[in-house]
């Protein structure tokens, strides 16, 4: 075996153990929510709320003037930049932080013991979401329909702490696609346990106040995506190995 091949094998042996990273954690580059008051029902006044820095998901009904009810639904989005990763994702989890809530409130707010947020594939480009267009209704719809990536069931016990869920195979495929194409991965969230009783209309309040991640505007604890089986790219260790080979060759030739 030549000296060059021996040196390459030695460098590979040094680099390989470090390169076998168990997982990589990526923080959100952007997150927030979109609220919409428009339900398309003759019973409801037509309002829009638009973008908000809170990443809450909620449904809320309140009487407004002489209109029986104003019905608001908010859905959230979380954007991750995966362009610096390479490899094959074998599993993934996502961790959401439940803030302590605003003063006098709690992050979890519902008359029910638990509420569930369903995670959805988002096909809208992240740059469009981040531009916060005035015509946000298509994005709002996109955050709450399509392929399901997982579910998070929360309660008041989660306030002030992280909650982690395992993402499903569809989410893993979408994450892999983002890695392979050096793009962002975006996930949307919507309440899937909204309690609505139309028999209470008109005059009553048919909708419970249900919310997760209340008081999250300005929250410093990021949403974290943890992916097994991938490594950062480019690998500084690989470059170090190449540099070592070139240095050894220079010394030998000198």
């Amino acid at each position: 075996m030549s000296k060059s091949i021996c040196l390459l094998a030695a460098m590979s042996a040094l680099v390989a153990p470090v390169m076998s990273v168990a997982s990589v954690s990526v923080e959100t580059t952007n997150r927030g929510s979109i609220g919409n008051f428009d339900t398309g029902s003759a019973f409801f006044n037509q309002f829009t709320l638009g973008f908000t820095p809170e990443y809450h998901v909620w449904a809320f009904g309140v009487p407004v003037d002489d209109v029986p009810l104003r019905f608001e639904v908010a859905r959230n989005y979380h954007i991750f930049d995966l362009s610096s990763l390479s490899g094959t994702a074998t599993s993934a989890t996502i961790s959401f932080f439940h803030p302590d809530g605003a003063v006098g409130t709690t992050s979890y707010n519902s008359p029910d013991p638990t509420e569930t947020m369903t995670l959805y594939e988002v096909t809208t480009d992240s740059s469009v979401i981040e531009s916060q267009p005035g015509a946000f209704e298509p994005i709002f719809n996109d955050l709450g329909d399509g392929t399901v990536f997982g579910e998070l069931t929360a309660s008041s016990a989660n306030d002030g702490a992280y909650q982690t869920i395992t993402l499903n195979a569809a989410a893993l495929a979408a994450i892999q696609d983002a890695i392979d194409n050096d793009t962002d991965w975006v996930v949307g969230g919507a309440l899937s346990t909204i309690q609505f009783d139309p028999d209470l209309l008109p005059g009553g309040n048919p909708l419970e106040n249900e919310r997760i991640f209340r008081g999250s505007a300005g929250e410093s604890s990021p949403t974290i995506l943890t992916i097994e089986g991938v490594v950062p790219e480019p690998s500084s260790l690989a470059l170090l190995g190449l540099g070592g080979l070139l240095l050894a060759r220079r010394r030998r030739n000198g």
Side-chain angles (χ1 to χ4, degrees), residues 1 3 18 27 38 95 134 180 191 194 209 228 239:
M1 182 182 293
K3 291 182 178 179
V18 186
E27 298 180 356
D38 185 355
S95 301
D180 293 342
L191 275 180
I194 297 175
N209 184 5
E228 301 281 343
L239 293 176

Side-chain angles (χ1 to χ4, degrees), residues 28 31 55 96-97 162 218-224:
T28 40
R31 64 184 176 185
Y55 54 90
F96 300 92
F97 187 76
Y162 270 101
E219 174 56 55
S220 60
S221 300
T223 306
I224 301 172

Side-chain angles (χ1 to χ4, degrees), residues 213-253:
F213 309 120
R214 185 181 187 183
S216 55
E219 174 56 55
S220 60
S221 300
T223 306
I224 301 172
L225 176 67
T226 301
I227 312 170
E228 301 281 343
V230 299
V231 295
E233 180 187 65
S235 170
S236 59
L237 291 175
L239 293 176
L240 177 62
L242 178 60
L245 287 175
L246 294 175
L247 180 61
R249 176 173 292 181
R250 176 177 294 181
R251 287 176 176 174
R252 185 178 69 248
N253 293 337

Side-chain angles (χ1 to χ4, degrees), residues 25-37:
S25 293
V26 182
E27 298 180 356
T28 40
T29 57
N30 203 339
R31 64 184 176 185
S33 65
I34 303 176
N36 198 347
F37 291 148

Side-chain angles (χ1 to χ4, degrees), residues 110-209:
S110 174
D112 301 316
T114 63
E115 295 288 351
T116 298
M117 177 180 71
T118 299
L119 302 180
Y120 292 94
E121 177 184 25
V122 176
T123 59
T124 306
D125 190 86
S126 60
S127 62
V128 175
I129 297 174
E130 292 179 318
S131 70
Q132 299 192 1
F136 60 80
E137 288 85 357
I139 304 176
F140 172 83
N141 293 333
D142 193 15
L143 299 181
D145 64 12
T147 303
V148 172
F149 284 165
E151 288 186 338
L152 175 145
T153 299
S155 71
S156 59
N158 299 115
D159 282 7
Y162 270 101
Q163 184 176 7
T164 300
I165 64 167
T166 300
L167 297 168
N168 63 21
L172 199 62
I175 289 170
Q176 187 65 55
D177 184 68
I179 292 172
D180 293 342
N181 291 283
D182 295 331
T183 59
D184 291 340
W185 181 70
V186 187
V187 61
L191 275 180
S192 52
T193 48
I194 297 175
Q195 302 294 318
F196 181 77
D197 184 1
D199 292 337
L200 295 179
L201 287 172
N205 189 345
L207 185 67
E208 296 178 345
N209 184 5

